[in-house]
mmCIF file of all heavy atoms in Angstrom:
data_model
loop_
_atom_site.group_PDB
_atom_site.id
_atom_site.type_symbol
_atom_site.label_atom_id
_atom_site.label_comp_id
_atom_site.label_asym_id
_atom_site.label_seq_id
_atom_site.Cartn_x
_atom_site.Cartn_y
_atom_site.Cartn_z
ATOM 1 N N GLU A 75 0.829 -1.205 0.000
ATOM 2 C CA GLU A 75 0.000 0.000 0.000
ATOM 3 C C GLU A 75 0.864 1.256 0.000
ATOM 4 O O GLU A 75 0.575 2.224 -0.698
ATOM 5 C CB GLU A 75 -0.912 -0.010 1.226
ATOM 6 C CG GLU A 75 -1.889 1.164 1.255
ATOM 7 C CD GLU A 75 -2.852 1.086 2.425
ATOM 8 O OE1 GLU A 75 -3.069 -0.033 2.942
ATOM 9 O OE2 GLU A 75 -3.375 2.134 2.840
ATOM 10 N N ARG A 76 1.952 1.213 0.756
ATOM 11 C CA ARG A 76 2.850 2.379 0.801
ATOM 12 C C ARG A 76 3.499 2.624 -0.557
ATOM 13 O O ARG A 76 3.613 3.759 -1.003
ATOM 14 C CB ARG A 76 3.908 2.160 1.885
ATOM 15 C CG ARG A 76 4.952 3.264 1.944
ATOM 16 C CD ARG A 76 5.637 3.300 3.290
ATOM 17 N NE ARG A 76 6.933 3.963 3.237
ATOM 18 C CZ ARG A 76 7.120 5.253 3.050
ATOM 19 N NH1 ARG A 76 6.075 6.047 2.852
ATOM 20 N NH2 ARG A 76 8.318 5.780 3.017
ATOM 21 N N ILE A 77 3.912 1.558 -1.241
ATOM 22 C CA ILE A 77 4.519 1.702 -2.567
ATOM 23 C C ILE A 77 3.504 2.293 -3.548
ATOM 24 O O ILE A 77 3.822 3.212 -4.315
ATOM 25 C CB ILE A 77 5.030 0.335 -3.086
ATOM 26 C CG1 ILE A 77 6.217 -0.140 -2.245
ATOM 27 C CG2 ILE A 77 5.424 0.431 -4.558
ATOM 28 C CD1 ILE A 77 6.628 -1.568 -2.528
ATOM 29 N N ILE A 78 2.284 1.785 -3.505
ATOM 30 C CA ILE A 78 1.235 2.287 -4.399
ATOM 31 C C ILE A 78 0.937 3.758 -4.106
ATOM 32 O O ILE A 78 0.774 4.570 -5.028
ATOM 33 C CB ILE A 78 -0.042 1.439 -4.264
ATOM 34 C CG1 ILE A 78 0.208 0.027 -4.800
ATOM 35 C CG2 ILE A 78 -1.217 2.088 -5.005
ATOM 36 C CD1 ILE A 78 -0.915 -0.954 -4.518
ATOM 37 N N ASP A 79 0.877 4.117 -2.828
ATOM 38 C CA ASP A 79 0.612 5.514 -2.452
ATOM 39 C C ASP A 79 1.706 6.445 -2.968
ATOM 40 O O ASP A 79 1.418 7.552 -3.439
ATOM 41 C CB ASP A 79 0.512 5.645 -0.929
ATOM 42 C CG ASP A 79 -0.788 5.084 -0.377
ATOM 43 O OD1 ASP A 79 -1.685 4.762 -1.183
ATOM 44 O OD2 ASP A 79 -0.900 4.961 0.858
ATOM 45 N N GLN A 80 2.964 5.996 -2.889
ATOM 46 C CA GLN A 80 4.078 6.829 -3.350
ATOM 47 C C GLN A 80 3.985 7.095 -4.848
ATOM 48 O O GLN A 80 4.388 8.152 -5.336
ATOM 49 C CB GLN A 80 5.418 6.149 -3.027
ATOM 50 C CG GLN A 80 5.778 6.126 -1.556
ATOM 51 C CD GLN A 80 6.052 7.505 -0.995
ATOM 52 O OE1 GLN A 80 5.300 8.014 -0.166
ATOM 53 N NE2 GLN A 80 7.120 8.131 -1.426
ATOM 54 N N ILE A 81 3.412 6.141 -5.574
ATOM 55 C CA ILE A 81 3.310 6.269 -7.037
ATOM 56 C C ILE A 81 2.056 7.029 -7.446
ATOM 57 O O ILE A 81 2.083 7.848 -8.375
ATOM 58 C CB ILE A 81 3.311 4.870 -7.696
ATOM 59 C CG1 ILE A 81 4.633 4.158 -7.434
ATOM 60 C CG2 ILE A 81 3.042 4.974 -9.195
ATOM 61 C CD1 ILE A 81 4.632 2.698 -7.851
ATOM 62 N N SER A 82 0.950 6.750 -6.769
ATOM 63 C CA SER A 82 -0.348 7.215 -7.259
ATOM 64 C C SER A 82 -0.885 8.471 -6.576
ATOM 65 O O SER A 82 -1.756 9.151 -7.139
ATOM 66 C CB SER A 82 -1.385 6.096 -7.110
ATOM 67 O OG SER A 82 -1.554 5.753 -5.741
ATOM 68 N N LEU A 83 -0.399 8.810 -5.388
ATOM 69 C CA LEU A 83 -0.918 9.968 -4.659
ATOM 70 C C LEU A 83 0.049 11.142 -4.726
ATOM 71 O O LEU A 83 1.268 10.950 -4.803
ATOM 72 C CB LEU A 83 -1.167 9.609 -3.185
ATOM 73 C CG LEU A 83 -2.157 8.479 -2.878
ATOM 74 C CD1 LEU A 83 -2.296 8.315 -1.366
ATOM 75 C CD2 LEU A 83 -3.509 8.735 -3.521
ATOM 76 N N THR A 84 -0.495 12.344 -4.676
ATOM 77 C CA THR A 84 0.349 13.522 -4.577
ATOM 78 C C THR A 84 0.902 13.608 -3.153
ATOM 79 O O THR A 84 0.410 12.939 -2.236
ATOM 80 C CB THR A 84 -0.443 14.802 -4.872
ATOM 81 O OG1 THR A 84 -1.445 14.974 -3.842
ATOM 82 C CG2 THR A 84 -1.110 14.732 -6.234
ATOM 83 N N ALA A 85 1.905 14.459 -2.965
ATOM 84 C CA ALA A 85 2.483 14.637 -1.633
ATOM 85 C C ALA A 85 1.426 15.110 -0.642
ATOM 86 O O ALA A 85 1.378 14.652 0.507
ATOM 87 C CB ALA A 85 3.633 15.645 -1.695
ATOM 88 N N GLN A 86 0.559 16.020 -1.098
ATOM 89 C CA GLN A 86 -0.504 16.513 -0.219
ATOM 90 C C GLN A 86 -1.465 15.383 0.154
ATOM 91 O O GLN A 86 -1.873 15.267 1.319
ATOM 92 C CB GLN A 86 -1.268 17.659 -0.881
ATOM 93 C CG GLN A 86 -2.392 18.222 -0.005
ATOM 94 C CD GLN A 86 -2.966 19.507 -0.555
ATOM 95 O OE1 GLN A 86 -2.227 20.436 -0.881
ATOM 96 N NE2 GLN A 86 -4.286 19.582 -0.669
ATOM 97 N N GLN A 87 -1.810 14.553 -0.808
ATOM 98 C CA GLN A 87 -2.711 13.430 -0.527
ATOM 99 C C GLN A 87 -2.063 12.432 0.441
ATOM 100 O O GLN A 87 -2.736 11.887 1.319
ATOM 101 C CB GLN A 87 -3.091 12.736 -1.835
ATOM 102 C CG GLN A 87 -4.028 13.544 -2.706
ATOM 103 C CD GLN A 87 -4.216 12.940 -4.087
ATOM 104 O OE1 GLN A 87 -3.332 12.247 -4.619
ATOM 105 N NE2 GLN A 87 -5.369 13.186 -4.693
ATOM 106 N N ARG A 88 -0.760 12.217 0.278
ATOM 107 C CA ARG A 88 -0.063 11.297 1.180
ATOM 108 C C ARG A 88 -0.050 11.852 2.602
ATOM 109 O O ARG A 88 -0.225 11.098 3.569
ATOM 110 C CB ARG A 88 1.369 11.039 0.691
ATOM 111 C CG ARG A 88 1.443 10.261 -0.610
ATOM 112 C CD ARG A 88 2.826 9.693 -0.872
ATOM 113 N NE ARG A 88 3.851 10.697 -1.056
ATOM 114 C CZ ARG A 88 4.139 11.276 -2.233
ATOM 115 N NH1 ARG A 88 3.448 10.947 -3.323
ATOM 116 N NH2 ARG A 88 5.105 12.168 -2.319
ATOM 117 N N TYR A 89 0.136 13.147 2.721
ATOM 118 C CA TYR A 89 0.157 13.757 4.049
ATOM 119 C C TYR A 89 -1.228 13.720 4.691
ATOM 120 O O TYR A 89 -1.359 13.398 5.882
ATOM 121 C CB TYR A 89 0.657 15.198 3.962
ATOM 122 C CG TYR A 89 0.744 15.876 5.314
ATOM 123 C CD1 TYR A 89 1.637 15.426 6.285
ATOM 124 C CD2 TYR A 89 -0.076 16.957 5.616
ATOM 125 C CE1 TYR A 89 1.706 16.036 7.528
ATOM 126 C CE2 TYR A 89 0.005 17.572 6.864
ATOM 127 C CZ TYR A 89 0.894 17.110 7.813
ATOM 128 O OH TYR A 89 0.959 17.711 9.044
ATOM 129 N N ILE A 90 -2.256 14.023 3.918
ATOM 130 C CA ILE A 90 -3.626 13.975 4.441
ATOM 131 C C ILE A 90 -3.972 12.554 4.882
ATOM 132 O O ILE A 90 -4.595 12.348 5.937
ATOM 133 C CB ILE A 90 -4.626 14.487 3.386
ATOM 134 C CG1 ILE A 90 -4.443 16.002 3.192
ATOM 135 C CG2 ILE A 90 -6.056 14.184 3.804
ATOM 136 C CD1 ILE A 90 -5.263 16.577 2.054
ATOM 137 N N LYS A 91 -3.551 11.565 4.112
ATOM 138 C CA LYS A 91 -3.808 10.169 4.486
ATOM 139 C C LYS A 91 -3.103 9.830 5.791
ATOM 140 O O LYS A 91 -3.659 9.118 6.646
ATOM 141 C CB LYS A 91 -3.345 9.230 3.372
ATOM 142 C CG LYS A 91 -3.661 7.777 3.660
ATOM 143 C CD LYS A 91 -3.349 6.886 2.478
ATOM 144 C CE LYS A 91 -3.699 5.431 2.794
ATOM 145 N NZ LYS A 91 -3.456 4.531 1.643
ATOM 146 N N LEU A 92 -1.884 10.346 5.969
ATOM 147 C CA LEU A 92 -1.146 10.120 7.217
ATOM 148 C C LEU A 92 -1.886 10.738 8.400
ATOM 149 O O LEU A 92 -1.975 10.126 9.470
ATOM 150 C CB LEU A 92 0.266 10.700 7.111
ATOM 151 C CG LEU A 92 1.199 10.420 8.294
ATOM 152 C CD1 LEU A 92 1.477 8.917 8.417
ATOM 153 C CD2 LEU A 92 2.508 11.191 8.141
ATOM 154 N N ILE A 93 -2.426 11.937 8.211
ATOM 155 C CA ILE A 93 -3.208 12.593 9.258
ATOM 156 C C ILE A 93 -4.411 11.733 9.638
ATOM 157 O O ILE A 93 -4.731 11.571 10.818
ATOM 158 C CB ILE A 93 -3.685 13.983 8.804
ATOM 159 C CG1 ILE A 93 -2.486 14.933 8.623
ATOM 160 C CG2 ILE A 93 -4.667 14.586 9.812
ATOM 161 C CD1 ILE A 93 -2.871 16.267 8.003
ATOM 162 N N GLU A 94 -5.063 11.177 8.612
ATOM 163 C CA GLU A 94 -6.286 10.400 8.847
ATOM 164 C C GLU A 94 -6.008 9.046 9.487
ATOM 165 O O GLU A 94 -6.782 8.576 10.326
ATOM 166 C CB GLU A 94 -7.027 10.211 7.522
ATOM 167 C CG GLU A 94 -7.571 11.514 6.939
ATOM 168 C CD GLU A 94 -8.127 11.341 5.536
ATOM 169 O OE1 GLU A 94 -7.839 10.303 4.900
ATOM 170 O OE2 GLU A 94 -8.836 12.254 5.071
ATOM 171 N N THR A 95 -4.911 8.411 9.090
ATOM 172 C CA THR A 95 -4.634 7.050 9.564
ATOM 173 C C THR A 95 -3.742 7.012 10.796
ATOM 174 O O THR A 95 -3.862 6.102 11.621
ATOM 175 C CB THR A 95 -3.993 6.202 8.452
ATOM 176 O OG1 THR A 95 -2.789 6.853 7.995
ATOM 177 C CG2 THR A 95 -4.957 6.036 7.284
ATOM 178 N N HIS A 96 -2.838 7.986 10.912
ATOM 179 C CA HIS A 96 -1.899 7.990 12.044
ATOM 180 C C HIS A 96 -1.729 9.409 12.600
ATOM 181 O O HIS A 96 -0.648 10.001 12.504
ATOM 182 C CB HIS A 96 -0.538 7.442 11.614
ATOM 183 C CG HIS A 96 -0.569 6.007 11.189
ATOM 184 N ND1 HIS A 96 -0.773 4.963 12.070
ATOM 185 C CD2 HIS A 96 -0.441 5.441 9.962
ATOM 186 C CE1 HIS A 96 -0.751 3.819 11.416
ATOM 187 N NE2 HIS A 96 -0.559 4.084 10.131
ATOM 188 N N PRO A 97 -2.782 9.982 13.166
ATOM 189 C CA PRO A 97 -2.676 11.353 13.690
ATOM 190 C C PRO A 97 -1.606 11.506 14.760
ATOM 191 O O PRO A 97 -0.995 12.568 14.895
ATOM 192 C CB PRO A 97 -4.076 11.614 14.259
ATOM 193 C CG PRO A 97 -4.674 10.262 14.479
ATOM 194 C CD PRO A 97 -4.117 9.398 13.396
ATOM 195 N N GLY A 98 -1.341 10.436 15.513
ATOM 196 C CA GLY A 98 -0.313 10.503 16.551
ATOM 197 C C GLY A 98 1.067 10.758 15.988
ATOM 198 O O GLY A 98 1.886 11.455 16.607
ATOM 199 N N ILE A 99 1.347 10.214 14.796
ATOM 200 C CA ILE A 99 2.639 10.452 14.158
ATOM 201 C C ILE A 99 2.786 11.919 13.801
ATOM 202 O O ILE A 99 3.825 12.537 14.055
ATOM 203 C CB ILE A 99 2.794 9.560 12.908
ATOM 204 C CG1 ILE A 99 3.000 8.106 13.327
ATOM 205 C CG2 ILE A 99 3.950 10.036 12.025
ATOM 206 C CD1 ILE A 99 3.114 7.132 12.174
ATOM 207 N N VAL A 100 1.738 12.490 13.242
ATOM 208 C CA VAL A 100 1.779 13.907 12.853
ATOM 209 C C VAL A 100 1.987 14.800 14.071
ATOM 210 O O VAL A 100 2.678 15.817 13.998
ATOM 211 C CB VAL A 100 0.471 14.286 12.119
ATOM 212 C CG1 VAL A 100 0.453 15.775 11.788
ATOM 213 C CG2 VAL A 100 0.321 13.458 10.845
ATOM 214 N N GLN A 101 1.427 14.407 15.205
ATOM 215 C CA GLN A 101 1.505 15.214 16.423
ATOM 216 C C GLN A 101 2.809 15.021 17.206
ATOM 217 O O GLN A 101 3.202 15.903 17.961
ATOM 218 C CB GLN A 101 0.324 14.882 17.332
ATOM 219 C CG GLN A 101 -1.032 15.251 16.744
ATOM 220 C CD GLN A 101 -2.180 14.555 17.432
ATOM 221 O OE1 GLN A 101 -2.008 13.889 18.456
ATOM 222 N NE2 GLN A 101 -3.380 14.689 16.867
ATOM 223 N N ASN A 102 3.490 13.886 17.003
ATOM 224 C CA ASN A 102 4.627 13.561 17.869
ATOM 225 C C ASN A 102 5.967 13.388 17.159
ATOM 226 O O ASN A 102 6.989 13.236 17.835
ATOM 227 C CB ASN A 102 4.325 12.270 18.642
ATOM 228 C CG ASN A 102 3.227 12.442 19.660
ATOM 229 O OD1 ASN A 102 3.454 12.920 20.774
ATOM 230 N ND2 ASN A 102 2.006 12.056 19.286
ATOM 231 N N VAL A 103 5.963 13.403 15.847
ATOM 232 C CA VAL A 103 7.193 13.173 15.085
ATOM 233 C C VAL A 103 7.631 14.463 14.407
ATOM 234 O O VAL A 103 6.798 15.167 13.829
ATOM 235 C CB VAL A 103 6.967 12.054 14.040
ATOM 236 C CG1 VAL A 103 8.181 11.902 13.142
ATOM 237 C CG2 VAL A 103 6.642 10.735 14.742
ATOM 238 N N PRO A 104 8.931 14.811 14.458
ATOM 239 C CA PRO A 104 9.417 16.043 13.821
ATOM 240 C C PRO A 104 9.072 16.098 12.335
ATOM 241 O O PRO A 104 9.066 15.069 11.643
ATOM 242 C CB PRO A 104 10.934 15.975 14.031
ATOM 243 C CG PRO A 104 11.106 15.136 15.263
ATOM 244 C CD PRO A 104 10.003 14.119 15.198
ATOM 245 N N ILE A 105 8.794 17.300 11.863
ATOM 246 C CA ILE A 105 8.357 17.497 10.478
ATOM 247 C C ILE A 105 9.400 16.992 9.480
ATOM 248 O O ILE A 105 9.058 16.476 8.414
ATOM 249 C CB ILE A 105 8.027 18.994 10.223
ATOM 250 C CG1 ILE A 105 7.416 19.169 8.828
ATOM 251 C CG2 ILE A 105 9.240 19.870 10.405
ATOM 252 C CD1 ILE A 105 6.887 20.578 8.579
ATOM 253 N N LYS A 106 10.684 17.100 9.815
ATOM 254 C CA LYS A 106 11.744 16.644 8.913
ATOM 255 C C LYS A 106 11.621 15.143 8.642
ATOM 256 O O LYS A 106 11.811 14.684 7.508
ATOM 257 C CB LYS A 106 13.114 16.955 9.517
ATOM 258 C CG LYS A 106 14.289 16.562 8.639
ATOM 259 C CD LYS A 106 15.610 16.941 9.286
ATOM 260 C CE LYS A 106 16.784 16.533 8.405
ATOM 261 N NZ LYS A 106 18.091 16.875 9.026
ATOM 262 N N LEU A 107 11.279 14.385 9.671
ATOM 263 C CA LEU A 107 11.143 12.933 9.513
ATOM 264 C C LEU A 107 9.877 12.582 8.748
ATOM 265 O O LEU A 107 9.873 11.674 7.918
ATOM 266 C CB LEU A 107 11.147 12.254 10.882
ATOM 267 C CG LEU A 107 12.377 12.481 11.756
ATOM 268 C CD1 LEU A 107 12.262 11.698 13.066
ATOM 269 C CD2 LEU A 107 13.652 12.095 11.018
ATOM 270 N N ILE A 108 8.794 13.310 9.026
ATOM 271 C CA ILE A 108 7.539 13.071 8.305
ATOM 272 C C ILE A 108 7.725 13.378 6.824
ATOM 273 O O ILE A 108 7.245 12.645 5.955
ATOM 274 C CB ILE A 108 6.407 13.921 8.896
ATOM 275 C CG1 ILE A 108 6.094 13.466 10.328
ATOM 276 C CG2 ILE A 108 5.150 13.837 8.029
ATOM 277 C CD1 ILE A 108 5.089 14.334 11.049
ATOM 278 N N ALA A 109 8.437 14.469 6.533
ATOM 279 C CA ALA A 109 8.686 14.845 5.131
ATOM 280 C C ALA A 109 9.428 13.732 4.398
ATOM 281 O O ALA A 109 9.061 13.351 3.279
ATOM 282 C CB ALA A 109 9.486 16.150 5.086
#
């Protein structure tokens, strides 16, 4: 799923999906690592 997302989704879509599926990561992990 991650490989498919990297190919088929825009960066914004990937980030929004991360917010929806793993909000704790967005809140607790430095932006450099998330990027």
Side-chain angles (χ1 to χ4, degrees):
E75 184 176 337
R76 176 159 158 70
I77 292 170
I78 293 171
D79 286 350
Q80 289 293 113
I81 296 171
S82 62
L83 300 182
T84 65
Q86 180 169 310
Q87 289 171 332
R88 292 196 296 273
Y89 182 65
I90 290 173
K91 184 173 181 178
L92 186 64
I93 294 173
E94 294 172 345
T95 57
H96 296 290
I99 288 178
V100 176
Q101 296 162 8
N102 292 278
V103 174
I105 187 172
K106 182 178 180 181
L107 301 182
I108 294 174

